[in-house]
Structures are given as C-alpha cells and as structure tokens.
Amino acid sequence: MCNISFTCSKYGTNGGVAMTHRSIHHVVVGLSAVLALSMTACAAQPAPAGSGDAEAKKFVTVVKLQGISWFDRMQIGLDEQAKAIGATSTMVGPDDASPEKQVKIIQDLIAQKPAAIAVVPLSPQALEGVLGQARAAGIKVITHEAPSQGNTDLDIEAFDNVDYGEHLMETLADCMGGEGQYVTMVGSLTAESHMKWAQAELDLATSKYPGITRVADPIETKEDLTQTYEKTKEILAKYPQIKGFLGSAASDVAGIGRAISEAGLQDQTCVAGTSIPSTAGKYLKDGSVDAITFWDPKVTGAVLVTLQDKLSRGEKVGVGTDLGIPGYENLQATDGKENVLHGNAWVDVTVENMAEYDF
C-alpha cells in the first residue's frame, strides 16, 4: 500500500508569510502534480510475493511409478525447468504399477488446485474420469505416452509411436539377420505406447521380414525387472530356438539381459528395446543386450513443465510450435489430432557410444 501525507503550516501576519490568492493557486497546482505522480508510483508497484502469479506456476507431474531410474531422471528435468521459469514443480506417483493408485493420487491433487498437472498414465482408459474432473475444476491437463487420452488438453509424445516401433524392429531384424523367432515384453497390456510399439513391430516384421515370426502375444511385466527376468527364463525354456527379444519398459531390457547373461546366450540371441544406460548398461557391456533406444527422460521433464506453463497462461501450442528444447523444435500432429503432438527425440545407444550418456 502507498501512503501519502502532507504537512501544512499555519501562517499568520505576525512575522509570518502572507498568502496571496496567486501564491495559494501555485501551491494547489503543485500539490496536485505531486499527488498525481505519487498515485502513478503506487500503481506501478509490483504485486506482493505469493499473489496470483505464484499460484499460476504451481505444477504437478504424476508418473507411472516412483523410485525407478527412468522417473528419477525425469525429475531432474522437471526441477531444473521449474527453477528456470520461477515455478513450483512436484513429482508424485504410485509405489507399484497400479492405475487405481494413479486415480487416487489425481483425485487428491484436484483438491489442491495446481495450475496444471502432467500425467504419464499406466492406463489412459482408467484415468478418463478423474482427468475429466481435473479439467472441470479448471486445471490444465497434459499427458505423455497416451495419444488416445480423451480428457486431456494436450498429449505430447517424443516421437510418432508407429515410427518408433518400426525402428525397434529394424534394429532387431538387423541383429537377427532378418530371420528367427522373437517376443516382445511390455510394462503393461494397458500401456498405450508400449502396445502401439509392439503392434508396429509385428506389422513391419510381417510385411518386410517374412523370416521373422513372433511366438507369443506381448508379455506383460508390470514394469518389474524381476518379473521380466523370470518370464524370459520361461520363454527360453519353451522356445529353445528363440533368437530375438524386444523390451518396452526400461526394466524389461535389463531383465531380459540378466536372463540371457546367466544362460550364456549372448552369441545366440539379439536383445533390443527401450531403456537407459544406468538400467541396461551392465548388459550392454557383456553383450547380453545389443542395443537400446530411448528418449531422455530429463528432456521430457523439461518439456512437461514448459507445456504446463504455456497452457496455464493461455498460450496456444500446436503444429509447428518450437518449445526451444532439442527434439521438440517443430511439433507435429499425431493421427491428425490437433491436441496430440510429437517431436523427434529418440536416441540409439550401443556399447560403443553408451559412455556419452551418463544416466
């Protein structure tokens, strides 16, 4: 608040200063000018800290699972970008791969009224209702790895999912010499991106590599390395001639690699898929895993905070938008949907270049 005070003296005729009409007029005009300038200064003062602008930059990201390397890496990007723009960013998620727990987390967040939430759904279908409630409460919703999500203001993908699935199959087919049996592991049968990759892999193998056959439907691992390891051993026992493995969750590739390493089958099998060096690097080094592909979760974190900020301020994000982040300089629509956009941000890593990625 701006306080303005004036001190007035009384003037008498005994040794004082006699005020003429003209001098009184000058005083009044001068006081009016001072008052106008003072009011302008008051209006220009910034709003106090903790006002609406601070509230407008309160963001939360809900991930699939807390405590795994992928989302630990994402949190670095969330925190760094939030600090850069003067926002508050929090990451939360369930302690196991439970869509029901994600629903409960989002329900609790609605009462806190953040300006925006970003969600990496375990099951887009399971979250439709609660995300609709969040939007009805005036909270901007951004999703990732969920291009079919209905109740979202914007879904952002690191790339086109079909292109990515085909790329993974090309990597595997090159290693397999264009022939042999393979299987695909997915974190969840309801994980939309994983299932899209698995279908694109199969479609490309069917159309381009008739010598490659998938021996089972996608195998669910619940994003659990130990489950992947056990199921890989079962596949090796059931299909002793199997040659290829593709993993969709970051833990899948490491679980497969562990089973291959213990069985001493590095030279008889090909293993590829989505993971990061800190999770699968051990098996890249011993040859149990041949290649991994990923999009940097840290970069994704920066993207999610950037989008939360833009949408909460009413800024339009669409085809051609440049987020100023590598891999996201020219966003494109997915399947013709204006609110489902993707960048071009995947990275291929083998034992030869894994040292370039310290996460």
Side-chain angles (χ1 to χ4, degrees):
M1 181 171 180
C2 190
N3 294 315
I4 304 170
S5 61
F6 299 99
T7 302
C8 300
S9 300
K10 292 184 179 179
Y11 293 91
T13 56
N14 295 331
V17 179
M19 302 289 285
T20 67
H21 287 292
R22 178 172 293 183
S23 61
I24 292 173
H25 172 74
H26 288 163
V27 169
V28 171
V29 170
L31 286 173
S32 297
V34 170
L35 180 61
L37 288 171
S38 300
M39 294 304 292
T40 300
C42 287
Q45 287 185 349
S51 65
D53 185 60
E55 288 298 316
K57 289 194 174 185
K58 181 180 177 182
F59 308 138
V60 183
T61 298
V62 183
V63 297
K64 293 179 180 179
L65 189 64
Q66 288 274 32
I68 61 175
S69 299
W70 186 274
F71 293 117
D72 289 345
R73 175 71 175 174
M74 180 181 285
Q75 184 156 22
I76 296 172
L78 293 168
D79 292 345
E80 288 184 358
Q81 188 68 6
K83 183 178 180 180
I85 66 173
T88 299
S89 177
T90 305
M91 189 180 84
V92 294
D95 55 7
D96 59 48
S98 167
E100 293 76 18
K101 289 183 179 180
Q102 275 195 320
V103 169
K104 181 62 169 62
I105 288 169
I106 296 169
Q107 286 174 335
D108 292 342
L109 286 175
I110 292 172
Q112 299 174 30
K113 296 184 177 179
I117 60 173
V119 185
V120 188
L122 282 158
S123 168
Q125 294 79 9
L127 299 190
E128 283 292 4
V130 73
L131 292 183
Q133 295 169 23
R135 296 179 75 199
I139 300 169
K140 292 296 183 181
V141 173
I142 294 114
T143 49
H144 175 57
E145 296 189 52
S148 71
Q149 194 80 62
N151 276 314
T152 183
D153 292 286
L154 177 66
D155 180 81
I156 185 70
E157 303 295 318
F159 37 69
D160 179 85
N161 281 308
V162 172
D163 289 348
Y164 186 73
E166 291 179 346
H167 177 69
L168 294 179
M169 175 48 69
E170 291 284 10
T171 300
L172 187 69
D174 182 61
C175 178
M176 292 172 63
E179 61 181 18
Q181 301 172 332
Y182 85 99
V183 293
T184 292
M185 308 282 191
V186 295
S188 170
L189 294 174
T190 61
E192 183 178 2
S193 58
H194 292 191
M195 295 303 289
K196 279 184 174 288
W197 305 340
Q199 188 61 49
E201 292 157 9
L202 178 62
D203 290 345
L204 186 68
T206 301
S207 64
K208 187 174 179 180
Y209 299 105
I212 294 179
T213 57
R214 193 175 76 180
V215 297
D217 290 337
I219 298 168
E220 186 175 50
T221 64
K222 297 294 185 182
E223 309 248 353
D224 185 286
L225 190 153
T226 301
Q227 281 203 39
T228 308
Y229 164 70
E230 295 293 347
K231 291 185 177 184
T232 301
K233 290 198 297 182
E234 292 173 9
I235 290 292
L236 288 170
K238 187 174 182 179
Y239 302 100
Q241 301 303 314
I242 194 161
K243 193 172 180 181
F245 292 84
L246 283 169
S248 304
S251 55
D252 288 345
V253 175
I256 296 166
R258 177 185 170 192
I260 297 298
S261 180
E262 289 183 2
L265 294 174
Q266 291 94 327
D267 295 334
Q268 287 77 48
T269 57
C270 293
V271 179
T274 304
S275 195
I276 53 178
S278 62
T279 300
K282 172 183 178 181
Y283 303 109
L284 281 169
K285 288 179 180 178
D286 77 3
S288 302
V289 171
D290 297 277
I292 58 174
T293 304
F294 58 88
W295 61 109
D296 187 345
K298 177 182 174 182
V299 175
T300 303
V303 167
L304 293 178
V305 168
T306 298
L307 290 173
Q308 288 179 87
D309 183 42
K310 287 181 178 293
L311 266 61
S312 65
R313 291 189 288 107
E315 187 172 332
K316 181 174 174 56
V317 176
V319 174
T321 294
D322 180 358
L323 297 182
I325 297 172
Y328 298 85
E329 300 95 338
N330 182 21
L331 299 183
Q332 296 298 308
T334 299
D335 299 330
K337 300 177 182 178
E338 292 186 359
N339 73 328
V340 182
L341 303 173
H342 67 83
N344 184 23
W346 75 57
V347 177
D348 291 318
V349 169
T350 65
V351 68
E352 283 78 17
N353 68 337
M354 64 177 290
E356 298 174 21
Y357 302 93
D358 60 347
F359 59 88

